[in-house]
Amino acid sequence: MSASPGLQLVDLDISGMTCASCANRIERKLNKLDGVTASVNYATERAHVEVPTGLAADDLVKVVRAAGYDAAPILPDPPAGSTDTTDAASTADPELDALRQRLIVSAVLSVPVIALAMIPAWQFTYWQWLSLTLAAPVVVWGAYPFHRAAWINLRHGATTMDTLVSVGTLAAFGWSLYALFLGTAGTPGLTHGFDLLPQRADGASHIYLEAAAGVTTFLLAGRYFEKRSKRRAGDALRALMDLGAKDVVVRRHGVDSRIPIGQLAVGDEFVVRPGEKIATDGIVVEGASAIDASMVSGESVPVEVTVGDAVIGATVNTSGLLVVRATAVGSDTALAQMARMVAAAQEGKADAQRLADRISSVFVPAVIAISIATLGFWLGAASLDDFAGGDVTFAFTAAVAVLIIACPCALGLATPTALMVGTGRGAQLGILLKGPEVLESTRRVDTIVLDKTGTVTSGDMSVSTVTVAGGQDESQVLAWAAAVEAGSEHPIGRAVIAAGRDHVTEKARDFVSTQGAGVAATVGDKRVQVLSPGKVTVPLPGDLADAVSTAESGGATAVVVLVGDVNDAASEPVAVGVIAVADRIKPSSAEAIAEFRRLGLTPKLLTGDNEGAARAVAAEVGIDDVTAGVSPQRKLEVIAELQAQGHVVAMVGDGINDAAALAQADLGLAMGTGTDVAMAASDLTVVSGDLRVVADAIRLARRTLGTIKGNLFWAFGYNVAAIPLAAAGMLNPMIAGAAMALSSVFVVGNSLRLRRFSPAR
């Protein structure tokens, strides 16, 4: 993405955001600067800013820090595959580590506090003072992130869930301190009662430490799991950049020497041996080979290259020795461009703001206002002679009851508990769900786009048909071909070997390989050649010619087996058979496509492979819409075009070439048998290669979303019903705490139902 004339692009890493409203606040602050257009993404914790040329990134950082957050400019992409001593440090996350430590300590301290408050039989003499000792660090230190966020929000005239958590926990803790030190709650032998209605002047005998500590711990757990899922947002870029070669053998002045990839320059010639990655984009200047580009281009069959052909960095040289002249290095390579596409697609993906945060913008100030109004009303009532029973203690009791009953324990549990149970069940089924932001997409998806190689097909070459000339034996033809290919490392050769190894009785000798043509060897008294149809110089019988045509029109690769007599050098070799090799379709693919249709999804095939192969696969599995021969950039564009037409798109892929499209899609699903890049760029990962599990993943995600919405409905409904009772002085704060705990139990129980989720088959 390029900047407009006179403007430049600056990307910032933002830290300290706790909800989508924080991102909105930073965005508004940045956009107030003259000539600045900013977009802040809460999910990726980044700001993408277009600024006038000359405005320093430090000026943007100062604005973010003035808003109460922190920021740092994102440096330009390093060269693909380059080593950096800071990589290990950059993958660490001190904020996440600190949050985990805060959660563990708070949980250890909170469990006995909750147990003592809720089990009267355990309430020994002075138990309340032990509860205070344990709860104080939780409320002060454990809940510090909530208090800090509430203070920042308050300074900017805004409220979020952090505000209500902070006010509620501090109110419960503050009242408990009052009751212990100035009331009667510190009396030895105190036990908690469970009166349905508060009694006049009895509020100072109750403490609510379990509510303060429990709410803090539950919400810390939710914050930790959310932070951990968001941490993975940058893994796609790191995986892409790590894919390239780390060093390269460069040829300068006729001398070969190995250097770090970062020292390679445009115009340098470098050597690529069989089995090595091509270090960077370039042109072949010596040699010929087959290049496995399946993870970059989507082609299932290795591409034959020779002098003058272009090659892409990070692809693998499968056979011959190559000398390549570098035409692009570092951030100019195709691999780096793909990394930028993934980043752009991730930044452009709208983050679904939490329902709880949206409602809290009204709910939180309303609750605080109701609590203050309740306090004022009962204090006023205490001064009226004709309103018997009102006093200061009762007024504070009712006000605290409002805050405690509204304290969002159930709200905080609604998403993380359903997510934890749903993801746990998913892990048992081989489904990895990254976070709650994915769930909304699963409900709305109406189109599912599938890559071919490694997704619908296995990605492994195998013999599909063997056609023999009249009078020839199929087993013998396979035996000849497999014996000759035993000396080849080509994927087609490996497929032939796998099909014919059981029939081989004699070993081949005098093996010769011709790049781009085929192989030849002597087997017994026969000179056997396995050649590409275009390299065959003798006429093919009609049935063999038809077999070649049929194979190629169906997307398979055909090789011709020719046999000649070693003892008769003058005799012409004779074509004895045609072997067709193709990428195998997974047995479960057709069933998975049918399941997608039952889920209301329209399947489409989108592949970098050739038209014939794509059409043949689509026809076999039941897909009508096919787009073939597309580049990674075009894949992303196709997804964007579907979205522009109003479709909500899911993308299923497994290769590097799918990463940008997976990030662009409303729902990205990666096959775990593919690359780390694809998995990092996706929203859901299916560990196995079974496409039917993708359908299970969508069903599980939809079920989890439904559970979260049910939890939120109950939690808000409980607040709406209970707050008026508390304000009317009809709800003892202790009962409010118990009711809050029961609402949490309900939410957890509802979430646990997800453990019963089972696959459709």
Side-chain angles (χ1 to χ4, degrees):
M1 182 178 176
S2 59
S4 304
L7 300 175
Q8 61 181 349
L9 294 177
V10 177
D11 289 327
L12 302 174
D13 265 326
I14 308 292
S15 59
M17 294 190 294
T18 59
C19 64
S21 61
C22 297
N24 294 335
R25 188 172 306 119
I26 296 171
E27 191 172 293
R28 289 196 302 271
K29 292 287 186 181
L30 290 172
N31 284 326
K32 287 181 180 178
L33 297 175
D34 290 338
V36 170
T37 303
S39 173
V40 180
N41 190 310
Y42 171 59
T44 59
E45 298 183 326
R46 287 189 173 191
H48 188 71
V49 192
E50 194 174 67
V51 302
T53 303
L55 182 64
D58 289 343
D59 295 328
L60 303 176
V61 171
K62 289 177 183 176
V63 171
V64 174
R65 288 176 177 168
Y69 306 91
D70 200 4
I74 299 174
L75 299 177
D77 296 332
S82 64
T83 56
D84 188 341
T85 56
T86 65
D87 283 350
S90 67
T91 58
D93 191 339
E95 189 178 348
L96 184 64
D97 293 340
L99 188 56
R100 178 172 59 246
Q101 182 184 33
R102 204 178 294 270
L103 169 61
I104 292 172
V105 173
S106 297
V108 170
L109 295 176
S110 297
V111 168
V113 175
I114 296 171
L116 286 172
M118 295 301 175
I119 305 176
W122 291 4
Q123 294 173 1
F124 55 87
T125 305
Y126 299 118
W127 68 272
Q128 64 272 47
W129 296 102
L130 174 62
S131 293
L132 175 63
T133 304
L134 296 175
V138 178
V139 176
V140 176
W141 175 78
Y144 174 75
F146 303 110
H147 303 323
R148 179 179 179 275
W151 172 244
I152 291 173
N153 292 328
L154 179 62
R155 286 170 49 200
H156 294 88
T159 57
T160 65
M161 290 305 301
D162 290 314
T163 308
L164 194 53
V165 172
S166 179
V167 171
T169 54
L170 289 178
F173 185 70
W175 182 265
S176 298
L177 290 178
Y178 166 78
L180 285 169
F181 288 98
L182 301 177
T184 59
T187 304
L190 170 79
T191 57
H192 264 165
F194 287 91
D195 297 323
L196 293 177
L197 297 177
Q199 302 300 316
R200 295 292 187 265
D202 72 345
S205 65
H206 291 291
I207 58 174
Y208 314 109
L209 296 171
E210 77 288 351
V215 166
T216 299
T217 301
F218 283 135
L219 294 180
L220 279 174
R223 183 67 52 83
Y224 170 73
F225 286 109
E226 179 184 30
K227 176 70 176 174
R228 192 176 66 171
S229 356
K230 282 172 32 181
R231 171 73 181 125
R232 300 185 184 126
D235 288 351
L237 301 180
R238 284 190 290 272
L240 270 175
M241 303 317 294
D242 288 344
L243 186 71
K246 302 294 187 260
D247 51 32
V248 58
V249 176
V250 66
R251 179 169 292 177
R252 292 172 177 165
H253 310 295
V255 178
D256 292 351
S257 58
R258 187 171 293 276
I259 62 173
I261 187 66
Q263 297 179 14
L264 188 66
V266 173
D268 281 343
E269 294 184 357
F270 58 92
V271 180
V272 189
R273 297 182 174 86
E276 291 183 340
K277 291 179 181 178
I278 295 175
T280 193
D281 300 355
I283 300 293
V284 177
V285 295
E286 290 182 27
S289 182
I291 302 299
D292 181 1
S294 59
M295 289 304 183
V296 174
S297 68
E299 286 283 352
S300 55
V301 179
V303 180
E304 302 286 350
V305 297
T306 187
V307 175
D309 290 335
V311 292
I312 299 175
T315 56
V316 179
N317 177 20
T318 64
S319 48
L321 182 74
L322 294 176
V323 179
V324 180
R325 180 182 296 116
T327 58
V329 296
S331 59
D332 295 327
T333 63
L335 184 64
Q337 291 170 9
M338 291 175 66
R340 285 194 291 273
M341 283 193 294
V342 172
Q346 285 186 337
E347 291 299 326
K349 183 185 291 185
D351 178 53
Q353 187 178 357
R354 300 286 191 275
L355 177 60
D357 276 327
R358 290 200 298 269
I359 296 180
S360 70
S361 63
V362 176
F363 179 71
V364 176
V367 168
I368 295 173
I370 292 171
S371 178
I372 294 173
T374 300
L375 177 63
F377 173 80
W378 288 112
L379 286 176
S383 64
L384 298 178
D385 294 336
D386 59 344
F387 200 103
D391 57 29
V392 174
T393 302
F394 183 78
F396 275 102
T397 301
V400 169
V402 170
L403 287 174
I404 291 178
I405 200 69
C407 204
C409 187
L411 289 177
L413 287 171
T415 294
T417 54
L419 186 63
M420 283 188 285
V421 178
T423 52
R425 179 56 181 152
Q428 293 175 332
L429 300 174
I431 301 164
L432 304 180
L433 175 68
K434 282 195 174 177
E437 64 275 0
V438 219
L439 302 175
E440 186 66 28
S441 297
T442 65
R443 181 180 63 83
R444 298 181 292 111
V445 163
D446 57 32
T447 303
I448 185 163
V449 177
L450 302 108
D451 173 51
K452 182 182 76 68
T453 306
T455 302
V456 178
T457 65
S458 65
D460 297 324
M461 306 297 287
S462 64
V463 171
S464 56
T465 61
V466 179
T467 306
V468 297
Q472 297 294 331
D473 179 68
E474 181 178 318
S475 298
Q476 182 61 65
V477 171
L478 267 177
W480 279 329
V484 173
E485 293 284 9
S488 171
E489 290 298 322
H490 198 285
I492 291 178
R494 291 197 294 268
V496 172
I497 294 168
R501 64 163 56 96
D502 293 339
H503 304 294
V504 175
T505 56
E506 295 179 276
K507 290 186 177 181
R509 60 188 187 277
D510 303 326
F511 175 81
V512 176
S513 175
T514 305
Q515 291 294 337
V519 294
T522 300
V523 182
D525 60 353
K526 304 293 184 182
R527 187 62 182 173
V528 181
Q529 303 175 71
V530 182
L531 302 177
S532 171
K535 303 299 181 181
V536 176
T537 57
V538 300
L540 295 181
D543 52 349
L544 296 188
D546 291 342
V548 171
S549 177
T550 300
E552 292 179 345
S553 64
T557 300
V559 292
V560 181
V561 182
L562 300 97
V563 175
D565 193 338
V566 174
N567 300 319
D568 186 358
S571 65
E572 286 281 345
V574 177
V576 297
V578 170
I579 300 175
V581 177
D583 189 5
R584 293 177 296 176
I585 295 176
K586 294 177 182 178
S588 60
S589 291
E591 184 180 339
I593 300 302
E595 179 64 19
F596 292 148
R597 294 188 188 279
R598 284 193 289 271
L599 288 171
L601 309 179
T602 301
K604 298 178 184 292
L605 192 66
L606 183 65
T607 178
D609 217 338
N610 64 76
E611 185 81 16
R615 293 285 176 189
V617 169
E620 187 165 341
V621 300
I623 298 177
D624 302 322
D625 193 329
V626 178
T627 304
V630 293
S631 64
Q633 173 66 37
R634 181 57 187 152
K635 283 190 174 184
L636 184 150
E637 291 171 354
V638 169
I639 299 295
E641 288 168 4
L642 287 169
Q643 291 170 327
Q645 294 167 12
H647 295 290
V648 180
V649 183
M651 170 72 190
V652 187
D654 77 320
I656 297 166
N657 59 308
D658 302 318
L662 286 168
Q664 173 66 34
D666 298 282
L667 179 66
L669 301 105
M671 308 300 283
T673 50
T675 63
D676 291 340
V677 176
M679 287 184 276
S682 66
D683 301 307
L684 281 166
T685 297
V686 175
V687 175
S688 71
D690 192 338
L691 198 57
R692 292 175 299 181
V693 183
V694 172
D696 293 333
I698 293 174
R699 291 175 53 245
L700 176 60
R702 288 179 176 179
R703 182 81 60 83
T704 305
L705 175 65
T707 300
I708 289 175
K709 288 190 171 183
N711 287 347
L712 289 172
F713 175 81
W714 164 255
F716 282 119
Y718 144 84
N719 286 127
V720 169
I723 288 175
L725 294 177
M730 300 176 63
L731 194 60
N732 189 303
M734 189 60 196
I735 297 299
M740 184 187 67
L742 289 175
S743 72
S744 301
V745 170
F746 176 87
V747 164
V748 173
N750 191 43
S751 299
L752 289 175
R753 294 168 57 237
L754 288 168
R755 293 191 302 181
R756 299 200 294 268
F757 176 86
S758 59
R761 54 193 177 281

